[in-house]
């Protein structure tokens, strides 16, 4: 990716191939009006007649009516379930409500579940698709930037449990991902920047040129310019596809996708999942990881400053509020990468490359505490 690359709009197709699955990701503007065309590719091979459209009360009025109309016109029977909007509804209880609805509608195995919305709808609908009648085909139609660059691809589906985020779930890949960049036009500014935090993450973990591109094109990104957004969505999906192809089940390399997430998840948790958007908390986590990298000598101070400046340029938070600080260490120990008194932490080596470091054995906990103190307000 060239930092001054010109961005042309066209539908692009990427393939994600893992040991168990292979599916296309289409990226471009105005894909939803042609949903019947894209869906026909999987409907024909699976004898699909019915469609369970899962969306929420915010997204359905914006895009769902069009999607539903197109599908009905193409001869599909559409059953629609709209959930309330919010992370607090990504629950076992909501999954059960949708499953009951599907059973009452007598939806058979010749049904596709279509998830229309952000990561909350995508994760929940994906979980439903994984368990309904032991699994029915899933189509992801992500409508937030975060979902287009991250949650809709890679096959992680889940609901939250009172004891932790995403604790009940499965690996269950979609058959198709339709990332329509036109839907981002209605995204609230805060959701856009939260998604851009994950885009910056991809630059740090795997592509310095992407990072450079984000530095010089901040204005285009914040103006939600569809051509520029499509360019970065495509690159992020490429990076995620490579990582997931290498480590589908999250047993090694895939951990790098969680750069910034150890502190980020802890911050979301101690602030009750309401104060920060997921991407915002990840931005604070990335600032912490950069400071930690400098402390252990893996990352230069000038590169840490570059990352923190870019986050600030995108109007993302980079500091921990003092009142949250005392609870962060304990909350981090509930991370999926915590083992006993040790914690595996993704730290930067340079912009474009990260590594896993072990705190509690390889490095002392004190360094982690120092890094957190250094970004506390
Ligand atoms: P979200 O789904 O809550 O969407 C954010 C807000 O934007 C919601 O209010 C939603 O209704 C609204 N919205 C969605 N599309 C819109 C549009 N086009 N126009 C206007 N409003 C729109 O949040 P998110 O950031 O998309 O996703 C966060 C979720 O994703 C979390 O639950 C997180 O755990 C999950 N996630 C999963 C993975 C994975 O690999 N499965 C990866 C990252 C995040
Ligand atoms: N979002 C982290 C993963 O897909 O592994």
């Amino acid at each position: 990716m060239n930092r001054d690359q010109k961005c042309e709009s066209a539908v692009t197709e990427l393939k994600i191939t893992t040991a168990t699955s292979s599916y296309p990701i289409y990226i471009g503007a105005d894909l939803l009006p042609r949903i019947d065309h894209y869906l026909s590719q999987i409907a024909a091979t699976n004898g699909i007649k019915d469609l369970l459209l899962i969306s929420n009360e915010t997204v359905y009025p914006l895009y769902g009516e069009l999607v539903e109309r197109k599908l009905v016109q193409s001869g599909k029977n559409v059953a629609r379930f709209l959930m309330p909007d919010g992370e607090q509804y990504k629950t076992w209880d909501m999954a059960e409500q949708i499953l009951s609805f599907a059973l009452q509608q007598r939806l058979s195995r010749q049904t596709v579940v279509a998830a229309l919305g952000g990561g909350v709808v995508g994760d929940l609908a994906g979980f439903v698709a994984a368990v309904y009648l032991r699994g029915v085909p899933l189509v992801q139609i992500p409508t937030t930037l975060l979902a287009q660059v991250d949650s809709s691809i890679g096959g992680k589906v889940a609901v939250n449990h009172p004891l932790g985020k995403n604790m009940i779930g499965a690996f269950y890949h979609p058959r198709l991902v339709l990332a329509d960049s036109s839907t981002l036009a209605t995204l609230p500014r805060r959701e856009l920047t939260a998604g851009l935090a994950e885009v910056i993450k991809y630059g740090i973990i795997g592509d310095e040129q992407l990072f450079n591109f984000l530095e010089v094109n901040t204005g285009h990104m914040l103006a939600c310019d569809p051509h520029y957004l499509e360019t970065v969505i495509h690159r992020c999906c490429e990076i995620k596809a490579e990582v997931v192809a290498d480590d589908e089940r999250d047993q090694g390399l895939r951990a790098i996708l969680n750069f910034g997430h150890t502190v980020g998840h802890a911050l979301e948790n101690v602030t009750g999942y309401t104060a920060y958007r997921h991407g915002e908390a990840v931005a604070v986590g990335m600032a912490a990881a950069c400071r930690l990298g400098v402390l252990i000598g893996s990352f230069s101070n000038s590169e840490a400053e570059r990352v923190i400046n870019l986050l600030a340029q995108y109007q993302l938070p980079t500091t921990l509020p003092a009142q949250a600080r005392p609870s962060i260490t304990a909350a981090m120990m509930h991370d999926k990468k915590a083992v006993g008194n040790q914690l595996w932490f993704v730290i930067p080596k340079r912009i474009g490359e990260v590594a896993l470091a072990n705190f509690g054995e390889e490095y002392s906990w004190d360094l982690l505490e120092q890094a957190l103190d250094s970004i506390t307000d």
Side-chain angles (χ1 to χ4, degrees), residues 66-78:
L66 166 72
V67 166
E68 195 171 313
R69 193 170 63 248
K70 290 285 168 190
L71 292 169
V72 169
Q73 282 169 359
S74 71
K76 300 282 178 304
N77 168 44
V78 180

Side-chain angles (χ1 to χ4, degrees), residues 150-151 153-156 198 201-202 240 244 250 254-255 257-258 261:
D150 194 353
S151 60
I153 59 173
K156 282 188 181 177
E198 295 279 4
K201 175 197 79 177
Y202 281 106
K240 183 153 183 181
V244 173
D250 205 1
R254 192 164 176 168
L257 295 173
N258 274 342
H261 285 58

